[in-house]
């Protein structure tokens, strides 16, 4: 069955130090099973976190919100985000104004402002005259040191050396192994 064009967006989350060396995993959610929030002129697929009355919890080590938002021409939607979260929107198609900013266009990123203190903030998104599709990612900051070299990301140079050694020795878990383990459950 032909699937058509596919877009892959990859995002790395820093884990809390206590969970840094947890076993790897992934989850597959077929497109038709993603919870959908529908508001006049707006459709929000909720992969993680909250949107309106929809709440989706995944096997995460830190709270995150991951949304795929489609807006019809010049329509808007308000999204609640905890004030302490870092976040951004990435425009997949069309153009969008976020919290009254100038229009962001396809391929552009808009960083969400963060405020300190408890509670939630409301992020208003308004599509341009041709509508918009964006992904919104937001999560609780971990305030940890991050080191990166090549494909490896860790908390220290020692972490990078460890991962590089494990990779060369063939001890990294392969995605096919994770899929096999997941099917047996």
């Amino acid at each position: 069955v032909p699937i058509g064009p596919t877009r892959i967006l990859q995002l790395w989350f820093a884990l809390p130090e206590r969970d840094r060396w947890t076993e790897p995993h992934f989850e597959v959610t077929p497109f038709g099973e993603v919870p959908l929030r529908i508001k006049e002129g707006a459709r929000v697929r909720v992969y993680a976190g909250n949107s309106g009355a929809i709440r989706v919890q995944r096997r995460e080590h830190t709270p995150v919100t991951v949304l795929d938002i489609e807006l019809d021409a010049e329509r808007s939607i308000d999204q609640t985000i905890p004030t302490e979260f870092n976040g951004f929107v990435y425009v997949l198609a069309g153009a969008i104004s976020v919290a009254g900013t100038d229009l962001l266009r396809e391929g552009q990123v808009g960083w969400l402002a963060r405020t300190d203190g408890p509670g939630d903030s409301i992020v208003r998104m308004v599509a341009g005259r041709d509508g918009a599709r964006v992904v919104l990612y937001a999560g609780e900051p971990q305030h940890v040191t991050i080191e990166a070299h090549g494909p490896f990301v860790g908390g220290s140079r020692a972490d990078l050396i460890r991962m590089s050694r494990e990779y060369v020795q063939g001890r990294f878990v392969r995605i096919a192994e994770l899929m096999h383990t997941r099917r047996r459950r």
Side-chain angles (χ1 to χ4, degrees):
V1 175
I3 295 175
T6 301
R7 188 179 284 142
I8 296 175
L9 301 174
Q10 181 175 342
L11 182 66
W12 294 75
F13 290 99
L15 295 178
E17 196 136 352
R18 70 183 179 277
D19 297 326
R20 185 71 45 91
W21 298 105
T22 190
E23 289 295 317
H25 81 280
F26 72 95
E27 296 179 43
V28 176
T29 305
F31 186 76
E33 295 177 20
V34 176
L36 183 62
R37 173 186 175 196
I38 298 175
K39 178 184 173 275
E40 189 176 332
R43 290 149 310 282
V44 180
R45 287 183 176 79
V46 184
Y47 287 92
N50 308 325
S51 186
I54 297 176
R55 310 256 182 272
V56 174
Q57 284 193 291
R58 302 270 180 223
R59 184 180 151 201
E60 299 151 349
H61 297 274
T62 183
V64 296
T65 298
V66 179
L67 308 174
D68 178 349
I69 302 166
E70 291 180 83
L71 294 171
D72 294 340
E74 299 177 343
R75 299 313 284 250
S76 67
I77 193 160
D78 291 339
Q79 176 61 44
T80 302
I81 302 287
T83 56
E84 71 274 8
F85 276 22
N86 287 331
F88 65 92
V89 295
Y90 176 73
V91 183
L92 296 169
I96 193 164
S97 174
V98 180
T101 63
D102 291 338
L103 283 179
L104 294 170
R105 301 188 186 290
E106 185 173 336
Q108 292 184 312
V109 173
W111 295 96
L112 302 176
R114 190 180 88 200
T115 58
D116 292 322
D120 292 325
S121 59
I122 305 295
V123 177
R124 171 161 282 219
M125 293 170 272
V126 181
R129 67 176 174 239
D130 295 324
R133 182 169 178 209
V134 302
V135 288
L136 182 146
Y137 294 100
E140 181 180 79
Q142 295 303 301
H143 307 290
V144 295
T145 301
I146 299 294
E147 297 279 337
H149 184 76
F152 303 110
V153 178
S156 67
R157 181 160 169 69
D159 288 348
L160 298 177
I161 292 168
R162 173 187 169 185
M163 288 183 279
S164 180
R165 187 176 303 124
E166 288 178 3
Y167 176 76
V168 169
Q169 294 171 347
R171 296 187 344 210
F172 258 38
V173 176
R174 299 185 193 305
I175 295 225
E177 294 169 18
L178 290 174
M179 290 176 71
H180 181 72
T181 302
R182 190 168 93 12
R183 284 188 190 130
R184 289 186 302 191
R185 291 182 183 161

